[in-house]
Amino acid sequence: MLGTGNAFAKKYANNNALIEMDGFKLLVDCGITLPRSLHDAGYSFDDLDAVLISHMHGDHVGGLEEYAFQMMFRYGKKPVLFIADTLVEPLWEQTLRGGLTQDPLNSLADFFDVRPIQEGEIYELHPGLNVKLIRTEHIEGKLSYSFLFNNTFFYSADMKFNGALLHSLIAEGVTTIFHDCQLITPGVVHACLDELLTLPEEIQEKIWLMHYNDNMEEYTGHTGKMRFVQQLAIYPIP
């Protein structure tokens, strides 16, 4: 976990992850603090094989400008970008165009090897590593997608509490859930701790909490059967 904090995190950095399988390194989201977090973890952008983006907020895409510039001008490469097909145009037009455009570079494809993914379909990112995009509610009018890896590991983007979805995922064989968690109530655009604590203990035992506030330590011991994901820790996922 390169960062485990929320959008305003100063202590724990933005919630961004690195999934590694058989040497393949997939960056999950690329927020404002990601370049420093990647450095602190001992990696460079050139160590990454691809990036997967969930939605358009800065703590999830704010580091893409540096990623693109470093890969083009420092390493001479075009990084692979996995992204929902519905987010390709907004990512360029609403987020990256102003900073990246310089003649003759004027499209997302000039900087990234863009590989669109359709919601609900299983897509192979690398042999043995599959993902399915699940649209989850976050901000009204803004698309946001959570990720189901290999049908067993659910990694939420920013999402409102959806107990029915979590119950169904467990019923379908999910064994590990990394879930964003706002520690204070009410959870307007994120699931909050009080809402997640309403889940049965057998589901809580499968949940790791991330995307939390900088005062996370104050809640240690008050999360039921759920545990906090720790910054820069490595977690083997079955």
Side-chain angles (χ1 to χ4, degrees):
M1 292 301 300
L2 298 170
T4 54
N6 61 21
F8 308 134
K10 302 299 181 287
K11 182 175 182 179
Y12 292 111
N14 296 153
N15 197 102
N16 303 155
L18 185 64
I19 294 178
E20 183 172 359
M21 184 172 189
D22 299 330
F24 177 81
K25 295 180 178 64
L26 174 72
L27 178 64
V28 181
D29 282 332
C30 185
I32 296 166
T33 64
L34 183 279
R36 178 58 186 266
S37 296
L38 194 69
H39 172 80
D40 289 346
Y43 295 102
S44 71
F45 281 117
D46 194 36
D47 292 319
L48 306 176
D49 292 290
V51 58
L52 173 66
I53 294 300
S54 64
H55 67 290
M56 295 297 99
H57 281 152
D59 55 323
H60 296 262
V61 297
L64 285 175
E65 181 178 309
E66 181 175 344
Y67 187 15
F69 277 143
Q70 279 213 35
M71 292 306 294
M72 175 170 286
F73 297 115
R74 185 173 183 180
Y75 299 108
K77 298 178 182 178
K78 186 182 290 188
V80 173
L81 170 65
F82 294 110
I83 185 170
D85 55 357
T86 56
L87 296 180
V88 173
E89 182 178 359
L91 179 61
W92 177 252
E93 294 294 339
Q94 301 175 17
T95 302
L96 295 179
R97 181 177 181 176
L100 286 179
T101 297
Q102 51 185 286
D103 242 8
L105 309 171
N106 55 20
S107 74
L108 192 64
D110 286 330
F111 294 92
F112 293 96
D113 177 358
V114 183
R115 303 190 186 180
I117 303 174
Q118 292 186 345
E119 174 189 349
E121 294 191 5
I122 296 176
Y123 193 92
E124 186 178 67
L125 305 176
H126 180 75
L129 180 61
N130 301 323
V131 71
K132 181 168 75 171
L133 300 189
I134 300 175
R135 188 185 304 187
T136 43
E137 294 299 320
H138 178 37
I139 303 290
E140 186 174 352
K142 283 184 176 289
L143 293 172
S144 183
Y145 298 90
S146 295
F147 306 123
L148 178 60
F149 294 101
N150 288 3
N151 294 315
T152 59
F153 175 36
F154 179 72
Y155 183 100
S156 81
D158 298 354
M159 62 176 278
K160 297 178 181 179
F161 180 68
N162 188 338
L165 173 61
L166 299 177
H167 276 85
S168 68
L169 288 169
I170 297 299
E172 293 167 6
V174 167
T175 59
T176 307
I177 295 172
F178 276 26
H179 205 299
D180 60 310
C181 177
Q182 179 178 304
L183 296 176
I184 59 174
T185 302
V188 179
V189 297
H190 290 277
C192 69
L193 179 58
D194 286 343
E195 290 172 319
L196 291 167
L197 283 170
T198 66
L199 295 167
E201 288 189 348
E202 58 266 26
I203 294 182
Q204 291 186 32
E205 288 175 341
K206 296 178 171 62
I207 294 177
W208 294 78
L209 304 174
M210 60 184 187
H211 203 285
Y212 42 69
N213 310 70
D214 274 346
N215 64 336
M216 175 269 284
E217 292 93 343
E218 298 175 17
Y219 292 83
T220 301
H222 301 284
T223 60
K225 296 291 184 179
M226 299 177 287
R227 293 151 288 179
F228 285 113
V229 175
Q230 300 295 322
Q231 186 181 20
L232 297 181
I234 297 173
Y235 295 90
I237 305 297

